Amino acid sequence: MNNSLLTSSAHDREFAFTTKDFEQVRQMIYEHAGISLNPSKQDMVYSRLARRLRATGINNFKSYLALLESNDEAEWQAFVNALTTNLTSFFREPHHFPLLAEHVLKQKGKHPISLWCSASSTGEEPYSMAMTVVDAFGSFTPPVTIVATDLDTNVLAKAEAGVYPLERVEKLSGDLVKRFFLRGAGAQSGFVRVRPELRAMITFRQVNLLSDDWHIRGPLDAIFCRNVMIYFDKATQLKILEKFAPLLQPDGLLFAGHSESFHNAGHVFSLRGKTVYELAKSKAHAPHRAPK
Ligand SMILES: C[S@@+](CC[C@H](N)C(=O)[O-])C[C@H]1O[C@@H](n2cnc3c(N)ncnc32)[C@H](O)[C@@H]1O
């Protein structure tokens, strides 16, 4: 192996991880999940996948990658889970939530309101959406359903459980925590659980944004797709945006992450406010097409 290709920490590694192995991982995760791993991420990828080698008892990357190539389904999911980045928090990018409240109230009485959180991670985002609509309607049973999806099955399981360490809610107001969370006692002390009424508003399931068929039923009033498009290249982003558009109501909204901008998709979405998009005029007036 060419030593010039090794980073300083590479010499201390438990398993040899060549640039060729890294390139193969990059290709596999790009094809499966659309995630474009930056070439600078070799060390990060090594440490995340080294855990999979230890867990499977495989002692080299060549054999581990061969296992994936043999289409071992369970290991494929573990591989994907290991490579996703799941950073999130309650009411992250808070300026979106008053806009969501205003938007759902505008739809009141017109039709059942339907929201999709398309990269929900451990659940803080869809639960923040649920708290927002409960407050907007002044009811724990608002006429709103939320579908929350992610590719990573580990984070989906955490989201479904709705149990969080207290630190995750410490930046929220005491009043909000009191109204929407139950404090754990005994073995659960140090944890909070979201109220069952919030949990009941949300359906969690696995969706790979790269796949052809999402099985998401429109029309939707809003799609949250925040801080996931940054992992995709522009061509993948565009493909996803073109599939979002026919799922939305004519006045539906798309919420994006703080560093995501979709200038290249002007034919489907126009910027309406800070990282909030609406359908481009031509799409908004087109009759709603049933999603696949
Ligand atoms: C950084 S988190 C963002 C979470 C949340 N939306 C937020 O803004 O706080 C990105 C999430 O996107 C998910 N993800 C990555 N690739 C995906 C794909 N192809 N389809 C669906 N979800 C994906 C990851 O599993 C991860 O949970």
Side-chain angles (χ1 to χ4, degrees):
M1 178 180 176
N2 180 349
N3 271 348
S4 66
L5 297 176
L6 293 172
T7 60
S8 53
S9 58
H11 294 285
D12 313 321
R13 283 174 180 161
E14 181 182 354
F15 310 105
F17 185 53
T18 64
T19 299
K20 191 167 161 254
D21 297 332
F22 177 55
E23 286 308 322
Q24 192 176 341
V25 170
R26 284 180 74 200
Q27 186 65 26
M28 287 166 114
I29 195 69
Y30 177 75
E31 281 170 12
H32 181 83
I35 297 173
S36 290
L37 284 172
N38 191 290
S40 66
K41 300 286 186 197
Q42 187 160 343
D43 285 343
M44 180 201 84
V45 166
Y46 171 81
S47 66
R48 289 182 178 193
L49 292 182
R51 281 181 230 143
R52 291 309 314 153
L53 269 73
R54 283 178 217 117
T56 51
I58 294 175
N59 64 7
N60 66 82
F61 268 91
K62 206 169 172 315
S63 307
Y64 179 70
L65 295 173
L67 174 68
L68 293 174
E69 278 185 326
S70 74
N71 285 328
D72 181 307
E73 237 177 77
E75 193 48 44
W76 252 102
Q77 187 61 57
F79 168 77
V80 168
N81 290 356
L83 291 178
T84 57
T85 298
N86 310 115
L87 183 78
T88 188
S89 57
F90 287 105
F91 293 97
R92 183 179 192 186
E93 295 166 37
H95 63 282
H96 284 159
F97 294 93
L99 278 176
L100 175 67
E102 191 186 301
H103 186 62
V104 292
L105 283 178
K106 256 202 280 176
Q107 315 305 319
K108 191 176 172 178
K110 292 192 203 159
H111 51 251
I113 297 161
S114 197
L115 310 175
W116 180 22
C117 177
S118 68
S120 59
S121 187
T122 38
E124 287 87 336
E125 185 173 82
Y127 288 123
S128 302
M129 294 164 72
M131 290 184 247
T132 301
V133 299
V134 164
D135 272 351
F137 284 91
S139 162
F140 264 113
T141 50
V144 180
T145 51
I146 302 172
V147 178
T149 64
D150 201 283
L151 171 63
D152 180 331
T153 51
N154 285 343
V155 293
L156 276 171
K158 287 190 182 157
E160 285 204 84
V163 175
Y164 300 93
L166 266 173
E167 306 88 81
R168 303 292 294 165
V169 297
E170 71 190 2
K171 288 205 180 112
L172 305 180
S173 78
D175 169 61
L176 197 124
V177 176
K178 220 157 120 191
R179 286 189 298 123
F180 292 115
F181 295 87
L182 305 170
R183 268 179 190 258
Q188 289 298 308
S189 81
F191 291 89
V192 288
R193 180 188 290 277
V194 292
R195 287 194 74 94
E197 296 91 333
L198 290 186
R199 177 65 196 77
M201 291 170 60
I202 307 174
T203 307
F204 289 96
R205 41 185 202 84
Q206 188 187 32
V207 170
N208 182 352
L209 287 170
L210 200 70
S211 67
D212 289 335
D213 203 343
W214 296 332
H215 299 286
I216 293 289
R217 192 194 292 253
L220 299 161
D221 294 283
I223 299 174
F224 272 56
C225 184
R226 308 192 311 166
N227 305 303
V228 61
M229 290 289 215
I230 35 163
Y231 300 104
F232 304 151
D233 60 22
K234 283 285 167 197
T236 305
Q237 290 183 6
L238 189 59
K239 244 170 80 184
I240 293 169
L241 292 168
E242 285 174 343
K243 283 178 67 187
F244 278 161
L247 281 169
L248 277 169
Q249 291 278 8
D251 63 347
L253 297 179
L254 170 65
F255 292 86
H258 60 284
S259 59
E260 294 160 333
S261 71
F262 307 137
H263 302 305
N264 61 327
H267 59 296
V268 267
F269 284 104
S270 5
L271 193 62
R272 173 184 161 164
K274 194 173 155 198
T275 56
V276 182
Y277 290 80
E278 59 192 1
L279 289 170
K281 292 272 174 295
S282 56
K283 295 280 168 196
H285 294 145
H288 176 77
R289 274 193 285 128
K292 272 198 204 171

